[in-house]
């Protein structure tokens, strides 16, 4: 009788460099490649349309890749532990393999599955360094602390530790007969998508990796903050869904070398850094990592202006409109938009983090929430009271205004850096410009923030 193992795909929707899949294939004669559309994700409001559409692409691509190897993907909908147990009982599986996660949801999911399998004779095997390049907790500070709270010392240890080797995709996947599943989700049935949303899936992700490594990455060190140049990898959605491997990316970027490769690897380490913080402090997803005793404001008109890209500050508005159109935003834009909400409007970072999660295709609890906290000054930033000025940021990172013109067409006729201060336009230059005045004065807002933080 053939032995059976279950591969429970989560944030690792790929065949290449997947330790979960490789371990299951080595553990049994046949495997059940399983993905469960967990009801708990729906109840938490985390199944935003953009991510659902990208997920549909990923599952279709994963199924196609498995079929090329003689297998298929089993998709089910329901409570995840219950569905896993049903598959185990149907197939007599001896083991269930899953990638380790870091969020509170991931920990609860693992516990629910473990409890469901109790008494079945089926073991749950959890694999590290699948979602991240280096497993959270692999390196810790001296002195008994369970995680690094500052990036630089973490990065030194991360580099010294090294990343695991890359695994090849399997050639054959044998699936036992008689295991049923639901139809694959259909992207075309999902409403309220961002019109410029990218396509998902491992094939698309690997093509993007190849293009990135053999071209734009070389200029990444100098160009990663160039908003108009858009000189970033755009791989964050694929990393979030695991259609590409962080470990493989780190290895291949190091092989290419050069300043661009080194700078890109550093960004992968930042991603790992946030994951190890959240693994140690799962409450940081919604609670201040370092409380500043903020007395946040809540002006609904200002919040709505920020969400809709009508603050009167062109670079902030351009970033927010890119988010709405693509379900993605340039990292420099994310920092500026977050700083404007939390330190200029002095609105609770959780309001912004929730809005980003509603739209971002790469909406990831570790990276989204902890980056928001970093900018808000309640996280791991060693300069928690820094404020990003949208005018200065615009003149520095979009000096000719090309990024603003792309996303704020009302200002398309404004020439040069004057586009970052349209309220200063006069006479014919101002006529016909249908663009709002600033929702707040920057100097007054800065003073208000400093008083609130006790810096005056």
């Amino acid at each position: 009788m053939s032995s059976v193992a279950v591969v429970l795909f989560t944030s690792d929707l790929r065949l290449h460099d997947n330790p979960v899949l490789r371990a299951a294939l080595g553990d049994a004669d046949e495997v059940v490649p399983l993905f469960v559309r967990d009801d708990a994700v729906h109840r938490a409001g985390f199944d935003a349309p953009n991510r659902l559409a990208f997920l549909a692409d990923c599952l279709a691509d994963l199924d196609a890749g498995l079929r090329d190897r003689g297998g298929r993907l089993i998709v089910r909908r329901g409570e995840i532990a219950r569905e896993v147990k049903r598959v185990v009982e149907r197939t007599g599986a001896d083991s269930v393999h899953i990638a380790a996660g870091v969020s509170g949801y991931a920990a609860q999911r693992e516990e629910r599955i473990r409890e469901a399998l109790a008494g079945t004779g089926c073991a749950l095997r959890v694999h590290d360094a699948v979602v991240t390049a280096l497993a959270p907790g692999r390196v810790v500070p001296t002195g008994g602390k369970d995680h690094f709270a500052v990036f630089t010392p973490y990065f030194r240890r991360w580099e010294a530790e090294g990343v695991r080797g890359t695994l090849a995709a399997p050639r054959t996947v044998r699936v036992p007969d008689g295991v049923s599943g639901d139809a694959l989700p259909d992207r075309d049935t999902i409403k309220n998508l961002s019109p410029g949303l990218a396509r998902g899936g491992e094939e698309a992700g690997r093509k993007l990796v190849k293009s990135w490594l053999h071209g734009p990455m070389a200029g990444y060190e100098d160009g990663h903050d160039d908003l108009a140049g858009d000189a970033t990898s755009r791989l964050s959605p694929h990393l979030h869904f695991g259609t590409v491997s962080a470990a493989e990316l780190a290895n291949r970027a190091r092989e290419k070398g050069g300043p661009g490769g080194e700078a890109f690897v550093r960004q992968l380490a930042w991603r790992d850094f946030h994951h190890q913080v959240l693994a140690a402090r799962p409450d940081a997803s919604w609670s201040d990592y370092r409380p500043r005793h903020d007395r946040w404001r809540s002006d609904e008109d200002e919040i709505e202006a920020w969400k809709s890209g009508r603050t009167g500050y062109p670079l902030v508005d351009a970033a927010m409109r890119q988010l709405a159109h693509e379900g993605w935003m340039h990292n420099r834009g994310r920092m500026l938009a977050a700083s404007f909400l939390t330190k200029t409007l002095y609105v609770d970072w959780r309001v912004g983090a929730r809005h980003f999660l509603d739209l971002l295709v790469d909406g990831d609890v570790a990276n989204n929430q902890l980056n928001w906290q970093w900018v808000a000054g309640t996280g791991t930033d060693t300069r928690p009271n820094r404020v990003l000025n949208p005018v200065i940021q615009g003149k520095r990172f979009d000096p000719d205004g090309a990024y603003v013109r792309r996303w704020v067409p009302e200002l398309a006729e404004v020439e040069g850096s004057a586009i970052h201060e349209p309220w200063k336009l006069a006479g014919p230059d101002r006529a016909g410009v249908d663009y709002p005045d600033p929702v707040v004065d920057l100097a007054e807002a800065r003073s208000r923030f400093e008083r609130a933080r006790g810096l005056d």
Side-chain angles (χ1 to χ4, degrees):
M1 182 176 178
S2 297
S3 57
V4 177
V6 176
V7 182
L8 182 58
F9 288 96
T10 54
S11 299
D12 57 332
L13 303 178
R14 64 181 185 270
L15 300 178
H16 293 80
D17 193 42
N18 191 329
V20 179
L21 177 59
R22 296 296 299 193
L25 289 168
D27 209 26
D29 301 316
E30 297 177 319
V31 301
V32 180
L34 176 65
F35 183 86
V36 178
R37 301 177 67 187
D38 191 359
D39 287 342
V41 174
H42 175 71
R43 289 194 299 270
F46 200 71
D47 52 351
N50 285 341
R51 287 193 297 280
L52 283 178
F54 201 90
L55 172 63
D57 294 342
C58 294
L59 296 179
D61 187 81
L62 181 59
D63 180 60
L66 287 166
R67 289 180 183 277
D68 286 344
R69 292 161 173 81
R72 59 195 172 95
L73 180 65
I74 307 299
V75 175
R76 295 210 173 173
R77 177 71 183 264
E79 201 283 315
I80 191 166
R82 182 177 65 246
E83 295 304 321
V84 169
K85 184 178 181 180
R86 286 175 175 172
V87 170
V88 167
E89 291 175 340
R90 176 68 181 81
T91 62
D94 299 311
S95 59
V96 173
H97 296 256
I98 187 174
V102 300
S103 66
Y105 162 77
Q108 293 167 10
R109 177 181 62 196
E110 182 180 322
E111 184 58 29
R112 294 201 310 271
I113 295 172
R114 201 179 301 279
E115 290 175 356
L117 295 180
T120 66
C122 180
L124 177 63
R125 299 186 179 175
V126 182
H127 299 270
D128 288 327
V130 180
V131 175
T132 53
L134 196 69
R138 180 69 178 271
V139 295
V140 294
T142 56
K145 295 183 178 180
D146 60 357
H147 71 288
F148 282 91
V150 179
F151 174 72
T152 300
Y154 171 79
F155 183 53
R156 286 196 292 265
R157 291 287 302 280
W158 188 92
E159 280 197 304
E161 182 69 20
V163 174
R164 65 169 176 77
T166 302
L167 302 170
R171 294 184 178 181
T172 304
V173 178
R174 293 179 55 202
V175 179
D177 295 330
V179 186
S180 62
D182 301 330
L184 292 169
D186 183 356
R187 177 189 178 111
D188 293 336
T189 65
I190 301 169
K191 300 178 181 180
N192 301 318
L193 300 183
S194 293
L197 184 69
R199 286 277 174 176
E202 183 175 15
E203 182 178 3
R206 294 191 71 79
K207 286 180 179 178
L208 191 57
V209 168
K210 182 178 180 180
S211 173
W212 170 251
L213 293 174
H214 291 86
M217 190 181 73
Y220 183 69
E221 183 184 37
D222 295 328
H224 67 276
D225 278 326
D226 179 2
L227 285 156
D230 197 14
T232 62
S233 72
R234 287 184 174 257
L235 284 167
S236 55
H238 292 281
L239 285 165
H240 172 64
F241 285 93
T243 55
V244 300
S245 157
E248 182 181 3
L249 268 181
N251 288 330
R252 294 182 65 180
R254 279 175 168 158
E255 289 172 4
K256 293 295 291 185
E262 293 173 4
F264 182 62
V265 169
R266 185 179 177 88
Q267 292 304 308
L268 294 172
W270 262 110
R271 182 175 181 272
D272 279 11
F273 171 75
H274 284 141
H275 277 75
Q276 60 96 40
V277 171
L278 190 63
R281 293 277 299 277
D283 61 316
S285 62
W286 289 108
S287 299
D288 290 346
Y289 179 79
R290 289 190 174 118
R292 304 292 176 189
H293 309 293
D294 288 297
R295 300 180 298 278
W296 302 110
R297 298 173 63 251
S298 185
D299 186 309
E300 292 302 323
D301 290 338
E302 291 180 358
I303 293 171
E304 181 55 35
W306 176 81
K307 288 181 178 180
S308 61
R310 298 283 293 173
T311 68
Y313 289 97
L315 197 60
V316 174
D317 293 343
M320 296 303 294
R321 294 184 194 188
Q322 181 182 27
L323 172 63
H325 183 80
E326 295 187 351
W328 184 89
M329 189 193 296
H330 192 288
N331 187 59
R332 174 56 56 175
R334 298 187 198 208
M335 293 174 64
L336 176 62
S339 178
F340 188 84
L341 184 72
T342 60
K343 289 177 174 173
T344 300
L345 299 183
Y346 198 45
V347 171
D348 193 329
W349 64 267
R350 282 158 280 246
V351 174
R354 179 71 260 176
H355 182 68
F356 271 33
L357 284 179
D358 287 342
L359 290 174
L360 281 174
V361 67
D362 61 18
D364 178 286
V365 171
N367 295 299
N368 185 64
Q369 312 302 84
L370 293 178
N371 270 313
W372 266 95
Q373 290 225 48
W374 189 91
V375 175
T378 62
T380 61
D381 188 6
T382 55
R383 293 172 54 198
N385 297 313
R386 80 175 85 201
V387 179
L388 300 182
N389 182 303
V391 176
I392 295 173
Q393 292 280 303
K395 292 179 178 179
R396 181 178 301 168
F397 299 115
D398 187 32
D400 298 324
Y403 178 76
V404 168
R405 289 186 193 89
R406 184 181 307 162
W407 296 109
V408 188
E410 307 97 293
L411 301 176
E413 301 303 318
V414 181
E415 297 181 357
S417 62
I419 199 171
H420 297 297
E421 298 175 284
W423 57 88
K424 291 185 176 180
L425 298 174
D429 292 330
R430 179 65 176 174
V433 176
D434 181 22
Y435 186 69
D437 291 328
V439 295
V440 67
D441 178 80
L442 293 179
E444 291 178 3
R446 179 65 178 261
S447 178
R448 180 178 62 200
F449 173 74
E450 291 176 348
R451 288 196 304 272
R453 285 272 172 99
L455 304 173
D456 56 348

